Amino acid sequence: MSRSVAAIYVVLYGLAYFAGPVSLVWGWVRCSRLRKKTALASALSLTGFGLATASALLALSLAVYSRFHQFGFFDPKFARFCLWGTVLSLGGFVFALAGIWRKDPLRWFAPAAAMGTFAYWIILADADI
């Protein structure tokens, strides 16, 4: 493996296993304490953050499901999980970018959470299952 590929994996793992979970937890705590605005940008950030959270919950449910069900090689259920997780993450990132232009408690947490969950789905799709 070349150094550039190894560097990409380090960035992906850092996003998926550090930046994503930290931004999700910290964002929900911050949102519950400071949520007062109802502007369009605020609603877009909240929608993006909600989609990133849904992607993370799908990842957790996949982990629980995989404890009781062994996925085969090229299992269509596993592929659907990965597809929906990726779609939720990318949708969350699009909404988060749309809401980034106005000051909001979730302004930077929403795109970070969406990119963290997207990195997780990339790592999971690349895993040798």
Side-chain angles (χ1 to χ4, degrees):
M1 181 180 331
S2 68
R3 288 183 182 174
S4 60
V5 172
I8 290 172
Y9 275 113
V10 166
V11 169
L12 285 175
Y13 274 90
L15 279 172
Y17 294 108
F18 180 72
V22 167
S23 63
L24 278 170
V25 171
W26 194 1
W28 277 115
V29 168
R30 186 173 167 97
C31 180
S32 67
R33 289 184 183 168
L34 301 175
R35 193 58 144 171
K36 293 177 184 156
K37 297 180 183 176
T38 58
L40 178 63
S42 178
L44 291 173
S45 290
L46 183 61
T47 303
F49 195 70
L51 288 173
T53 303
S55 178
L57 290 175
L58 183 65
L60 285 173
S61 65
L62 176 64
V64 170
Y65 182 74
S66 67
R67 298 294 287 165
F68 302 107
H69 174 78
Q70 183 68 33
F71 288 113
F73 191 66
F74 288 116
D75 193 340
K77 285 183 184 179
F78 180 76
R80 276 193 300 270
F81 270 110
C82 289
L83 174 70
W84 281 107
T86 304
V87 168
L88 286 170
S89 295
L90 289 177
F93 188 68
V94 168
F95 277 102
L97 282 183
I100 207 168
W101 307 113
R102 306 260 313 186
K103 193 170 183 174
D104 185 64
L106 294 177
R107 179 176 169 182
W108 299 112
F109 294 105
M115 281 294 94
T117 56
F118 181 68
Y120 175 79
W121 292 112
I122 290 175
I123 291 169
L124 194 63
D126 186 49
D128 295 324
I129 294 178

